[in-house]
Amino acid sequence: MLWDKFSSIVREPLSHFLFIGVVLLTADHFLNAPRQSPETISISIAEQSRLINDWRSRWTRDPTAEEMAGIIEDHVREEVLYREALILGLDSEDTIIRRRLAQKMSFLLEATDPIGQVSEDELMAFVQENRALFSTPESVTFSHLFFDRDKRANPFLDAAKALELLLSATGPDVKTDVASDRFPFGEDISNARADDMTKMFGEVFHEELTRVREGGWVGPIDSSFGSHLVFVHERHAGRIFDLDEVRDAALAAYSAQRREAAAEALYRDLRAKFEVNLEAEGALHMVLGSSSDQRFR
Amino acid sequence: MKLKHSYVAIAIFAVLGCGQAAGEESIRPAPSPLSRADDGPLVAYSELRMPCRERNPLRNAYFGDLHVHSAYSFDAYGNGTRTTPEDAYDFARGRPIELPPYDGDGNPFARVSINQPLDFMAVTDHAEYFGEMTQCLDPENAGYDTSVCAELRVPGPESYVPMAPTIVLPTPRRNALICGEDGMRCDRSISTLWEATQRAAEEAYDRSAECRFTTFVGYEYSGLPKYRNQHRNIIFRNANVTATPISYVEAPRGHMLWEQLDRQCNKAENGCEVISIPHNSNLSNGSLLAAPTGETIDMQRERARMRNVVEPLMEIFQHKGNSECMNGLSGVIGAPDELCDFEQVRKIGTYSSYKDIFAEVIDCEGEPGFFGLFNGGCVAYNDFFRGASLLGLKEERRLGVNPLKMGVIASTDTHVGTAGATDETSWTGHIVYEMTLRERLGSGYLPSNLNGNPGGLAGVWAVENSRDAIFGAFLRRETFGTSGPRILPRFFGGWDFDESLCGDPDLVAAGYERGAPMGGDLPPRGEAGAPTFIAHAVRDPGASGAPLRKLQIVKGWVDRDGEAYYRVSDLDPPRDAGPRSGYGILCAVYSDASFDPEEAAYWYLRAVQVPTRRWSAVQCDAEDENRPAQCDNDAPEFIQEMAWSSPIWYTPPD
């Protein structure tokens, strides 16, 4: 397709440099050309719709005619001042502008997309290397019956009586026969990590639960809200995910890593074109390193 | 190889496939998304990350701290803090860190860890001095040998004061000694600390499917003209941030800050998105949450719009006091509310002191004062969330847009990196000169020490713990603040909620389907008479929490003559509960019989705990032989900790 061809040209780093070159040459021509008076500020339909869209995205409605005039006038003001500033060469002296341009350029470098085929082995190795990202810690899945301290004179006793009932009966549905209360975080808790349980039940309950065996009603265990009977269905061990479970995410992360490496390589090519002349030696020693072992005091 | 922040390419994951991604058979797939008008994926990622394995369409509460200083802050460093942003993130994740001051051998005063880890956090150092700090701490830099830097490097209560003029002057100027006459030396070295700040946030952020801990890149904007507080914390959605922070030096007025943030970030089309969260309005002498300035009404309207977008939240509570409300101020009409006195750093009609200066605390009466940071100068009704929100309603009548439409969060403002350390019993101070109990009970230069408190937490309702989900809650204002405990307040406003919802397991789903959550606008009224509200709260289940005493709804409204009013209503406890002094869960449905469809109004929820011992009392209880004499003091022995929800608003038809 013509479009594909076009977009692949657009993505080509060389095209970027050519494009930027043209822009720079044009700017140079414009700036050094004798100034005509009056100069023209053309605002194309496309530019106007961009301004209107900006407005809409901010205020979620269309501008009134009066506001539209204001938008255009603001734009003109910006353009006039911008051109004057360029003529005065203010752009080259301003640290903030320099930084912004540098930031834009590095975005441009990263936007190039040289990623081709990624092999299964490469991806597997990437998941292994970044196992912190692609793993899950141990957790527990359990059901509980709640006896609310707010509503009962003796929730612990009520829970203990209910436990007798549960133990004398059999079958998974038996818990519906027991008159218990609604718990704010639900009665079936799946895949709860240690920190999840502390958040829902408090520290004491969590400690007690670690001692409960799988497959049977146990209790009562007290929480900050009242008493509970607990049935642990399963404890899950921590593990690294299989590649098939995380393929899309791993591929995206890996591609991003490759893109960054490619951008860095492009930067190094650019950097090679420059010779750096440092006036004084060694002025770059940084006390404020970010590695946590390097205390800065 | 680590995933680094420079992955600027915006990868949008297919978010709905996450149930399968989690794997194991026994893991249930995520419930199907709630059906709403804006039905769509629950979170669209603006960054590269693993989709969270658990996602709750009815939203979970997450707790964080969005106001944390490390040694990168000039005042913290000057006092002797050496905690890095990495340390602060470690602390929030439950790992022990060292507390200043350090002795001659470099041993810390203590090692401490948090009682319960946080879900999210941002380090917010004073950005005005990133360049100066780099000059002062790196011997190779030209500014290093100046007297100002030399003084900063020796820990002391005032060692950073020579640097203060930069933020105190109404027209900011960099310190010429450190930065050179043109300030360039510092301008050029800003990025050292800015980049270190970004790296620390990146390294601590959990991008795995576990979604245990979210960090935000942020900084503090620290304008303090004439010591009237203009401070804000600037929080970015993701790793795409401005090239350098926009500080008071670059933007000496609030509207300049909003404009530059909007242009350099929100409009940069590189995935950058940002909000600004004002704090300590209680110390701003009527100037921080003020009506928009500008020569023409159009200019004022434009600034009101800008503020409405860039500042969706404010910090209602922190170490240096309560910014919810204050009794006895002109400009608002309502009965005294005793809970406004909670952790108030000063009260109208009393005397405040700074060094040798004593001043009566007076009402600004429309004329902003100064010296607020030192507890001096006047106070105004709009220094507080309740009054400022009323001013917002008035301004909306005038300008057609509400410049002060703010949800709430709370935070600590710790200057020793102890993010989220809000437990009254174990609190060890938030500045270097609060580390011992004796010091804490003394008096300080700022509204701290005996006057201060451990600060609060930021709460959000979000489907998962990721940057995009939590930042989305900031933008929706679906946030709340607490004075420390992890209380879970839920608040919905609609037109047809009834009492039976409190016993209904689908209460939350009904709240979202038929109404607006905290931070939203009441849905269109139709033929309905009075608005109805679901108020629900669950106590902090943890050891630093306590049972809840009551729920309250605070209403603010502006009548047809433009007068501003508020009213606090206690809600009845649940009928099926026997009489109790405190509850684990409270629920009530409230109908506002006084509603007038012609009056703009807001409502917010307060969930209040039973009285518990204030830090200054409970920490003295633990002392026997070495009980400091300062334990006998004027501070209240008991406090009632609470959570504040963001408001729900009603705007009358034109």
Side-chain angles (χ1 to χ4, degrees):
Chain A
M1 289 290 291
L2 191 60
W3 170 252
D4 287 341
K5 190 151 193 175
F6 175 72
S7 63
S8 74
I9 290 173
V10 167
R11 282 190 209 163
E12 190 56 45
L14 184 64
S15 318
H16 287 151
F17 298 129
L18 285 177
F19 173 72
I20 291 160
V22 170
V23 169
L24 289 177
L25 284 174
T26 313
D28 186 57
H29 172 80
F30 174 75
L31 288 176
N32 293 324
R35 301 187 73 187
Q36 291 173 353
S37 193
E39 288 182 53
T40 313
I41 294 176
S42 322
I43 309 174
S44 65
I45 296 289
E47 184 62 17
Q48 290 176 48
S49 25
R50 189 187 65 80
L51 291 171
I52 293 170
N53 281 334
D54 273 1
W55 171 281
R56 279 199 194 116
S57 68
R58 247 160 78 199
W59 313 122
T60 61
R61 63 174 176 83
D62 286 335
T64 63
E66 194 185 334
E67 283 162 342
M68 190 61 215
I71 293 169
I72 297 293
E73 209 34 57
D74 281 352
H75 180 75
V76 169
R77 172 188 291 265
E78 185 177 290
E79 189 64 27
V80 166
L81 294 177
Y82 172 68
R83 288 189 192 182
E84 283 302 314
L86 283 184
I87 288 161
L88 293 175
L90 296 183
D91 53 332
S92 60
E93 287 163 24
D94 190 305
T95 330
I96 308 271
I97 291 174
R98 285 162 53 93
R99 252 179 238 138
R100 282 279 291 152
L101 287 176
Q103 193 189 36
K104 274 198 156 168
M105 189 63 211
S106 48
F107 288 148
L108 214 57
L109 290 181
E110 296 214 25
T112 61
D113 191 357
I115 309 299
Q117 282 294 320
V118 177
S119 79
E120 197 75 358
D121 287 351
E122 272 178 281
L123 209 52
M124 211 111 80
F126 179 76
V127 168
Q128 278 297 328
E129 247 174 77
N130 294 281
R131 58 180 74 83
L133 262 185
F134 302 112
S135 61
T136 182
E138 58 181 64
S139 62
V140 57
T141 295
F142 66 97
S143 300
H144 71 114
L145 294 170
F146 171 50
F147 300 85
D148 192 341
R149 186 174 298 142
D150 289 353
K151 297 175 179 169
R152 294 166 186 269
N154 195 336
F156 191 90
L157 195 67
D158 292 355
K161 281 183 191 157
L163 182 65
E164 273 177 44
L165 202 70
L166 287 170
L167 295 178
S168 64
T170 47
D173 291 335
V174 68
K175 72 173 180 180
T176 53
D177 301 335
V178 172
S180 63
D181 302 313
R182 207 158 57 76
F183 190 65
F185 305 99
E187 286 76 41
D188 298 310
I189 312 285
S190 53
N191 293 290
R193 303 176 306 227
D195 53 323
D196 295 332
M197 269 181 299
T198 314
K199 278 178 199 167
M200 290 184 278
F201 298 89
E203 294 90 338
V204 181
F205 178 91
H206 163 55
E207 272 198 36
E208 292 277 333
L209 193 75
T210 55
R211 289 192 277 274
V212 173
R213 274 176 302 132
E214 284 173 42
W217 284 104
V218 175
I221 298 178
D222 276 358
S223 75
S224 309
F225 300 96
S227 300
H228 306 253
L229 300 178
V230 178
F231 191 114
V232 173
H233 300 292
E234 197 179 355
R235 293 186 184 279
H236 316 279
R239 67 184 185 93
I240 301 185
F241 288 121
D242 294 335
L243 186 52
D244 282 340
E245 295 172 88
V246 293
R247 182 176 303 277
D248 290 352
L251 191 62
Y254 183 61
S255 307
Q257 189 200 73
R258 289 256 300 253
R259 257 200 310 278
E260 170 163 295
E264 187 56 29
L266 279 175
Y267 167 72
R268 277 199 304 271
D269 289 350
L270 289 176
R271 178 69 177 73
K273 295 180 193 160
F274 294 87
E275 190 178 300
V276 177
N277 184 8
L278 202 59
E279 260 184 58
E281 276 296 310
L284 294 168
H285 167 68
M286 280 299 148
V287 170
L288 301 171
S290 76
S291 74
S292 42
D293 55 347
Q294 188 186 346
R295 311 292 321 190
F296 97 83
R297 66 174 68 134
Chain B
M1 163 70 210
K2 277 184 222 118
L3 287 176
K4 290 200 305 185
H5 74 272
S6 46
Y7 291 126
V8 292
I10 299 174
I12 309 288
F13 279 118
V15 294
L16 295 175
C18 85
Q20 287 84 339
E24 289 180 33
E25 288 297 314
S26 60
I27 297 174
R28 291 193 229 166
S32 57
L34 191 69
S35 176
R36 301 195 62 195
D38 58 349
D39 210 349
L42 292 169
V43 199
Y45 291 137
S46 69
E47 61 176 4
L48 189 58
R49 60 157 304 123
M50 286 286 288
C52 297
R53 71 175 168 102
E54 299 278 349
R55 183 168 286 148
N56 178 5
L58 298 179
R59 294 175 187 150
N60 299 318
Y62 296 104
F63 290 96
D65 192 342
L66 295 173
H67 195 169
V68 179
H69 293 272
S70 76
Y72 291 4
S73 286
F74 75 117
D75 49 351
Y77 188 91
N79 281 349
T81 295
R82 296 296 180 265
T83 320
T84 60
E86 284 82 356
D87 294 333
Y89 286 125
D90 278 353
F91 182 83
R93 288 181 290 174
R95 303 170 191 172
I97 64 165
E98 296 174 353
L99 278 188
Y102 297 83
D103 68 16
D105 301 325
N107 298 312
F109 169 74
R111 292 178 72 81
V112 286
S113 43
I114 197 170
N115 51 341
Q116 195 184 331
L118 295 177
D119 300 311
F120 64 92
M121 185 196 140
V123 170
T124 51
D125 283 309
H126 295 294
E128 285 72 12
Y129 298 101
F130 280 177
E132 284 80 340
M133 289 291 289
T134 308
Q135 289 294 319
C136 285
L137 300 181
D138 181 352
E140 303 290 340
N141 281 333
Y144 184 85
D145 285 323
T146 58
S147 57
V148 182
C149 283
E151 192 168 344
L152 179 78
R153 289 191 298 269
V154 182
E158 295 190 354
S159 68
Y160 60 86
V161 171
M163 292 169 79
T166 304
I167 55 172
V168 174
L169 292 170
T171 308
R173 215 170 43 236
R174 291 208 178 279
N175 186 297
L177 262 181
I178 309 179
C179 308
E181 282 300 334
D182 60 357
M184 290 305 267
R185 212 142 62 202
C186 294
D187 266 347
R188 291 224 166 96
S189 44
I190 289 171
S191 26
T192 307
L193 290 188
W194 182 226
E195 282 166 12
T197 301
Q198 294 171 54
R199 273 199 304 277
E202 182 55 39
E203 278 168 21
Y205 181 31
D206 181 3
R207 287 181 191 266
S208 80
E210 292 306 309
C211 297
R212 257 168 301 200
F213 188 64
T214 293
T215 63
F216 291 99
V217 180
Y219 66 89
E220 179 165 348
Y221 167 96
S222 327
L224 195 61
K226 297 184 183 174
Y227 294 102
R228 63 164 77 117
N229 190 59
Q230 301 294 311
H231 289 195
R232 294 151 158 108
N233 285 312
I234 313 299
I235 306 289
F236 291 88
R237 180 190 272 267
N238 52 38
N240 302 317
V241 302
T242 48
T244 43
I246 295 145
S247 76
Y248 181 62
V249 177
E250 289 80 24
R253 300 282 176 278
H255 63 85
M256 298 178 185
L257 174 71
W258 310 322
E259 196 275 325
Q260 291 190 44
L261 286 176
D262 196 45
R263 192 155 43 81
Q264 288 192 41
C265 179
N266 291 342
K267 289 224 180 78
E269 291 177 0
N270 61 2
C272 188
E273 204 174 342
V274 68
I275 57 167
S276 156
I277 309 175
H279 69 83
N280 282 116
S281 51
N282 60 334
L283 308 177
S284 80
N285 310 111
S287 68
L288 178 55
L289 306 176
T293 57
E295 284 158 30
T296 64
I297 193 155
D298 285 341
M299 208 181 276
Q300 293 167 22
R301 187 174 293 125
E302 174 58 19
R303 287 175 186 173
R305 281 176 179 141
M306 196 79 86
R307 183 170 201 153
N308 178 292
V309 172
V310 179
E311 298 196 336
L313 304 175
M314 71 168 276
E315 192 185 285
I316 196 172
F317 187 85
Q318 62 128 283
H319 176 227
K320 289 194 276 292
N322 189 338
S323 294
E324 183 202 353
C325 49
M326 181 187 264
N327 288 315
L329 294 172
S330 64
V332 288
I333 301 164
D337 171 2
E338 61 171 333
L339 288 176
C340 290
D341 295 342
F342 170 53
E343 296 299 359
Q344 203 54 263
V345 290
R346 51 187 172 160
K347 280 170 201 152
I348 205 90
T350 62
Y351 284 81
S352 70
S353 66
Y354 167 65
K355 289 188 176 174
D356 302 329
I357 305 166
F358 284 82
E360 189 181 358
V361 181
I362 54 160
D363 194 319
C364 293
E365 289 175 346
E367 193 61 45
F370 54 93
F371 229 46
L373 187 76
F374 296 114
N375 236 347
C378 62
V379 265
Y381 76 96
N382 60 313
D383 284 341
F384 299 89
F385 166 68
R386 187 180 295 173
S389 300
L390 284 167
L391 177 59
L393 297 184
K394 285 195 205 177
E395 287 295 285
E396 187 169 22
R397 267 165 68 119
R398 189 172 71 89
L399 300 170
V401 59
N402 184 344
L404 295 161
K405 192 167 187 173
M406 299 174 296
V408 295
I409 54 126
S411 280
T412 61
D413 194 9
T414 175
H415 277 61
V416 291
T418 49
T422 57
D423 178 54
E424 300 279 323
T425 310
S426 60
W427 183 49
T428 52
H430 283 330
I431 55 174
V432 174
Y433 296 97
E434 284 179 350
M435 291 294 113
T436 66
L437 179 57
R438 197 179 303 269
E439 285 173 308
R440 275 196 289 289
L441 295 168
S443 62
Y445 291 122
L446 301 169
S448 55
N449 300 69
L450 185 59
N451 224 353
N453 75 83
L457 296 179
V460 297
W461 289 102
V463 294
E464 62 177 32
N465 186 1
S466 67
R467 281 181 175 166
D468 284 302
I470 292 177
F471 199 87
F474 296 158
L475 294 182
R476 290 194 308 275
R477 303 173 170 90
E478 199 176 349
T479 60
F480 56 96
T482 86
S483 60
R486 286 160 170 77
I487 299 166
L488 290 92
R490 267 214 128 133
F491 191 44
F492 294 96
W495 300 97
D496 62 350
F497 295 137
D498 63 65
E499 201 74 23
S500 69
L501 276 169
C502 276
D504 189 335
D506 295 326
L507 170 142
V508 173
Y512 280 116
E513 266 161 31
R514 287 153 49 194
M518 60 177 71
D521 290 291
L522 278 175
R525 185 165 69 98
E527 300 300 305
T532 53
F533 297 89
I534 305 173
H536 188 277
V538 176
R539 64 159 282 180
D540 177 350
S544 24
L548 298 172
R549 167 62 54 87
K550 62 181 171 186
L551 298 178
Q552 297 180 311
I553 284 182
V554 182
K555 178 187 183 182
W557 73 99
V558 173
D559 74 6
R560 294 166 202 224
D561 301 325
E563 268 329 322
Y565 297 84
Y566 72 84
R567 184 178 56 237
V568 182
S569 309
D570 284 3
L571 305 184
D572 293 331
R575 289 216 192 92
D576 55 351
R580 294 278 192 276
S581 63
Y583 303 84
I585 305 144
L586 281 174
C587 182
V589 174
Y590 172 81
S591 171
D592 182 2
S594 71
F595 176 74
D596 178 341
E598 299 300 317
E599 294 171 348
Y602 66 78
W603 299 260
Y604 65 92
L605 173 65
R606 262 192 334 205
V608 186
Q609 281 192 178
V610 298
T612 49
R613 306 270 287 161
R614 188 179 192 258
W615 68 267
S616 47
V618 72
Q619 296 192 1
C620 282
D621 293 345
E623 303 284 324
D624 31 42
E625 283 148 45
N626 296 324
R627 190 174 191 272
Q630 293 90 332
C631 281
D632 302 311
N633 55 54
D634 297 339
E637 268 185 69
F638 285 91
I639 50 174
Q640 280 184 279
E641 304 234 40
M642 64 184 89
W644 303 265
S645 82
S646 288
I648 294 172
W649 286 269
Y650 169 78
T651 314
D654 294 331

